[in-house]
Amino acid sequence: MKFYEVHDPYYALIKARNEESAMKIYTDVVADDDGGLSEEITEVTEAYAAIRYSRVNGEDNKTIPIKEVLEDLTSEEEMILIIDGSLV
């Protein structure tokens, strides 16, 4: 799996098999592509994604447990790890 980050128009950290899949997940869950998504999406390292994701508060406003972070990062499921708080 690879990790992708988008900052504009809304922030998201996505785990996906490739950039095309990450872009589809973003447009399905976060926001429509106004034509600039391919320029906004960037691949980030696994270490960067792990650190960012481990510092995010979950739905209960508490830090996500390390066990859950590791399970999400190592699973074969494509997913949004972090989404802009204004969309929640």
Side-chain angles (χ1 to χ4, degrees):
M1 287 290 178
K2 296 179 180 180
F3 299 91
Y4 299 90
E5 191 173 51
V6 179
H7 288 278
D8 193 43
Y10 298 103
Y11 180 81
L13 180 64
I14 303 166
K15 182 178 79 165
R17 293 187 190 340
N18 53 49
E19 186 174 310
E20 293 78 26
S21 185
M23 290 175 63
K24 179 170 178 14
I25 292 168
Y26 186 88
T27 57
D28 287 350
V29 178
V30 182
D32 291 332
D33 180 8
D34 63 359
L37 182 57
S38 62
E39 295 173 14
E40 289 295 327
I41 194 165
T42 56
E43 186 173 349
V44 296
T45 66
E46 184 176 1
Y48 176 88
I51 291 167
R52 289 281 292 165
Y53 186 47
S54 69
R55 294 180 178 212
V56 169
N57 289 339
E59 292 176 6
D60 59 359
N61 209 26
K62 294 182 182 177
T63 305
I64 300 170
I66 294 297
K67 182 178 180 183
E68 184 178 335
V69 169
L70 292 173
E71 287 172 357
D72 287 346
L73 292 174
T74 59
S75 76
E76 289 300 313
E77 180 183 354
E78 296 181 311
M79 66 178 72
I80 296 263
L81 296 171
I82 303 171
I83 191 168
D84 192 304
S86 65
L87 298 174
V88 179

